[in-house]
């Protein structure tokens, strides 16, 4: 969901003539065969339409489909938060508009002491939360909203994905409940 939402935002901005850069600090799971969609950094590079190479979108990639901090540990490296922030600023410098996709959720560790949320705070970007539509999404999404706001992040919205062509009552209720309780 996150990659599709981020790519859709990039593509929409590019379609209206904006120059946009995409950024995702880490991609794991490259050992797995590609699925229906291109790999995250490849999809984001193509959607941004600004000539970015996938390596410009994502400075750190790992084979195993694991949490970034653990994938890095198994590879014998530790991700450098300052280098990730610098890579994001470098990506944004060419266009002025940066769409940054997280890795997992806000509290996923990039290092043992630095999370996706820490990176979001340093970048100071508003947050768009990609949420599932079905059972369990209310708690998960409201916790994510709370974790973002507790850190001082602005929650710009929640995108429930994939939204079905013919949503059932639970999906409509989940959307309404998250909107009302979460104030989004």
């Amino acid at each position: 969901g996150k990659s599709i939402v981020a790519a859709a935002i990039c593509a929409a901005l590019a379609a209206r003539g904006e120059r946009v850069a995409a950024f995702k600090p880490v991609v794991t799971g490259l050992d797995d065969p590609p699925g229906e969609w291109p790999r995250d950094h490849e999809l984001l590079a193509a959607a941004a339409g600004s000539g970015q190479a996938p390596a410009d979108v994502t400075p750190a990639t790992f084979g195993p489909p694991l949490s970034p901090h653990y994938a890095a540990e198994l590879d014998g490296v530790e991700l450098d938060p300052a280098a990730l922030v610098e890579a994001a600023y470098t990506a944004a410098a060419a266009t002025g508009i940066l769409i940054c996709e997280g890795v997992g959720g806000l509290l996923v560790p990039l290092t043992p002491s630095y999370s996706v949320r820490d990176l979001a705070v340093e970048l100071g970007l508003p947050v768009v939360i990609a949420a599932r539509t079905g059972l369990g999404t209310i708690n998960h999404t409201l916790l994510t909203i709370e974790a973002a706001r507790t850190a001082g992040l602005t929650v710009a919205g929640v995108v429930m994905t994939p939204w079905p062509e013919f949503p059932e009552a639970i999906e409509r209720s989940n959307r309404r409940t998250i909107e009302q309780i979460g104030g989004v």
Side-chain angles (χ1 to χ4, degrees), residues 94-169:
T95 65
I97 298 176
L98 180 67
I99 303 301
C100 179
E101 179 193 348
V103 182
L106 279 179
L107 300 181
V108 167
L110 296 171
T111 74
S113 61
Y114 188 86
S115 69
V116 171
R117 178 173 69 175
D118 296 325
L119 177 62
V121 167
E122 285 200 62
L123 295 177
L125 300 173
V127 176
V128 174
I129 297 167
R132 297 185 312 265
T133 61
L135 185 64
T137 197
I138 293 172
N139 183 63
H140 181 265
T141 305
L142 292 177
L143 284 171
T144 301
I145 292 168
E146 185 175 303
R149 289 181 177 153
T150 297
L153 295 167
T154 299
V155 178
V158 173
V159 176
M160 298 186 80
T161 182
W163 191 253
E165 184 176 353
F166 303 105
E168 295 185 17

